[in-house]
Structure formats: structure tokens, C-alpha cells
Amino acid sequence: MQKLIGFNIKRNKKLLVSDIIKFYEVRGYELKDANATGMVFMRGSIWGNMTSLNPTKWKTKVDIEIIKKERLDYNIYANYKFTTSGFYRSQTEENYYNEELNAFSKAIKDFEIHPESTEALVEMANKSNFQLITKSLLFGIPIATVLILITNSLLTNRLPVSIACLITAISILTFYLLLIGLRKKA
């Protein structure tokens, strides 16, 4: 998922670059590349996407572009590339990503840093993702078991294990997607 934020700021470029680097390093990002027109920050990993419910551990890349308009007048664009826990995002994850963008804007434009609000959203996203996965397992596994038992009773041979695993995975994923859809409507 990609999100873009842009704004104009009137400030000395050296101070601006220094503030941007401090902001991202405090938030756990690592400066990967820098040149005269911008910077690239990275945080998390693909492994974090697969093993953690915490969105700060998921792979995120931020491309910062600083375009000079006039003396001490710059346009700043931050292009965020978030990887999510699945194909669909829950509303809590969406709120977290939006807050991540707004925190950058507030920190650079208004010198406001409120890590508590973002930390609270990270905790909410953790809890929300854990609840979604738990409910998906609680509903998906029994439904898959029933489907497998019914299929085995209708077949003369036993259902192969690979097919049973596929049915279980599809059942769990279906409930996961349904629960995300229901949360977005609520």
C-alpha cells in the first residue's frame, strides 16, 4: 500500500534535513540512502510481516523528496510504501498508517511530536490483529473440520492431507476477510 503526503515549509535546508533524519530515526527507521534531492528510510522486514502483529515491525519504506522553490522555501513529499499483514487492511491499521503520515507533517511543519498517540494506535493495531486472527482460527477450523468430514463421508477414498490443509487454510482466510469486512462496515 502506498500513501503520499506533501507540504511546503520555509526553513534552512540543513536544519530541515537534520529534523527529518531525527524524526525517522526516533521512530525506528534507518537511513538507507541520501542525496541532494531526498532520502530513503526503511523500517521492519518481510519476516516481520509474517511473524509480528505489530505494524512497526512490518516492512516500510519512505522516500523523501525535497524540492527547492525559492530561497528557504521547500516542497517536501513523503511517499510511504507500507506492507500490510494481509491483502486487506483493517480500519485500525488504516488509522495507524494515516497517523504515521500526520505525525511526520506535524513534526516537521509545527515542531509537534506526540509519540503517545502513535504508540496507542500501534497497541490498538496489535490487539485488533490478534483478535482477527484468533476469531478466524476459532471459526475457520471447526468449519473446515465439518467440510472435511462431510467430504470424506461422500468419497470412497480418504481425502488427501494436502487437500484437507487447503480447505482449512481457505476456511480460515475466508473468515479473516469476512471479519475485516464486518469491522470496516461497523
Side-chain angles (χ1 to χ4, degrees):
M1 170 185 67
Q2 253 180 288
K3 288 192 174 268
L4 176 69
I5 187 171
F7 53 89
N8 180 272
I9 191 161
K10 294 174 183 359
R11 195 181 318 165
N12 177 296
K13 186 172 183 179
K14 287 183 181 179
L15 292 174
L16 177 62
V17 169
S18 174
D19 287 347
I20 291 171
I21 291 171
K22 283 180 199 171
F23 172 80
Y24 282 107
E25 285 180 346
V26 165
R27 297 179 78 82
Y29 287 87
E30 185 179 327
L31 180 63
K32 291 292 185 180
D33 188 26
N35 57 43
T37 61
M39 297 167 264
V40 176
F41 293 92
M42 305 235 356
R43 175 175 73 185
S45 67
I46 293 294
W47 184 249
N49 287 41
M50 293 184 270
T51 61
S52 178
L53 299 175
N54 184 341
T56 62
K57 304 260 190 266
W58 301 344
K59 184 175 180 180
T60 304
K61 179 181 178 186
V62 183
D63 293 310
I64 305 289
E65 188 176 9
I66 302 171
I67 300 172
K68 183 176 183 175
K69 287 181 66 179
E70 296 177 7
R71 188 173 185 273
L72 299 178
D73 187 14
Y74 298 94
N75 283 339
I76 299 175
Y77 298 98
N79 185 14
Y80 283 79
K81 293 178 183 137
F82 296 106
T83 52
T84 58
S85 61
F87 299 107
Y88 298 96
R89 294 177 305 280
S90 68
Q91 188 59 48
T92 310
E93 289 173 9
E94 189 71 35
N95 292 343
Y96 166 74
Y97 296 133
N98 289 334
E99 183 59 33
E100 184 82 12
L101 268 68
N102 293 334
F104 172 65
S105 175
K106 288 177 188 173
I108 301 303
K109 284 173 50 178
D110 306 329
F111 301 104
E112 288 182 31
I113 298 177
H114 301 291
E116 311 84 35
S117 64
T118 306
E119 288 173 9
L121 281 172
V122 168
E123 286 300 315
M124 285 176 52
N126 281 343
K127 288 178 184 173
S128 173
N129 289 332
F130 182 74
Q131 289 172 350
L132 282 171
I133 289 170
T134 303
K135 288 179 182 176
S136 298
L137 290 171
L138 288 175
F139 290 120
I141 291 174
I143 295 297
T145 304
V146 169
L147 289 172
I148 292 167
L149 289 173
I150 290 171
T151 306
N152 274 336
S153 69
L154 296 175
L155 295 175
T156 55
N157 295 334
R158 243 181 97 211
L159 195 64
V161 173
S162 59
I163 301 295
C165 290
L166 183 64
I167 290 171
T168 305
I170 290 171
S171 178
I172 292 169
L173 183 60
T174 301
F175 275 101
Y176 180 77
L177 297 176
L178 284 172
L179 290 170
I180 287 177
L182 291 173
R183 281 194 178 179
K184 284 188 178 183
K185 289 180 183 178

